Amino acid sequence: MGVLLEEEIVICKELKHSISSAINEEKQVIVHCAIHAVDFGDAARIWRSTYLIDRTSGKKHELLFAEGISYAPQWTLIPFNNPLEFTLIFKGLPKGCLVFDLVEIIPEDGGFEILNITRNNSDVYHVTI
């Protein structure tokens, strides 16, 4: 019976850095949102043109998925006594991003806008709109 020797695999620094950067930037950002009704019958919706915008680079990171809220043009009724809670999942932010904005860019007034969100290690956030 022969002895099995484990071979050492060597990867150059540039490739390690490239792989590490790609993995970090492929992570998703999760934003849990709550919005309260002002009047009975208030409703909300999310537009696909909602982004996380890196405050340093200005680069937009797109919304991938929304749960618990309708996509425009449909509406979701906001319960009058409780907030409408929904979750937005975005494409990952680059490692160097420290502060970002959540902005809904729409062709009318009233888009969601949460500015100056400080980045955390988990990339999971809770905001009230």
Side-chain angles (χ1 to χ4, degrees):
M1 231 168 141
V3 177
L4 182 60
L5 297 176
E6 195 173 309
E7 286 188 44
E8 183 178 334
I9 299 173
V10 178
I11 301 174
C12 71
K13 281 191 227 177
E14 293 83 10
L15 182 56
K16 282 183 182 178
H17 178 71
S18 177
I19 291 169
S20 176
S21 294
I23 289 169
N24 286 333
E25 292 184 22
E26 286 303 315
K27 292 181 181 178
Q28 297 174 337
V29 177
I30 299 170
V31 182
H32 297 288
C33 304
I35 186 169
H36 295 268
V38 176
D39 292 317
F40 186 79
D42 281 352
R45 60 188 177 178
I46 194 77
W47 291 65
R48 293 189 189 274
S49 55
T50 301
Y51 302 95
L52 297 182
I53 302 175
D54 182 338
R55 297 283 297 185
T56 302
S57 70
K59 184 176 179 192
K60 296 177 187 173
H61 299 269
E62 66 186 85
L63 175 66
L64 299 174
F65 182 76
E67 182 178 322
I69 191 169
S70 303
Y71 286 105
Q74 303 301 318
W75 291 91
T76 301
L77 189 63
I78 302 171
F80 190 67
N81 294 326
N82 296 306
L84 172 64
E85 295 178 340
F86 57 97
T87 301
L88 305 175
I89 300 175
F90 292 88
K91 198 169 189 179
L93 295 165
K95 190 174 185 178
C97 175
L98 302 176
V99 179
F100 62 92
D101 299 332
L102 167 64
V103 179
E104 189 179 40
I105 301 172
I106 60 175
E108 58 189 51
D109 291 337
F112 298 146
E113 187 175 87
I114 307 292
L115 304 178
N116 297 311
I117 300 169
T118 302
R119 183 97 183 262
N120 65 36
N121 291 330
S122 68
D123 268 343
V124 176
Y125 304 89
H126 297 267
V127 300
T128 299
I129 299 173

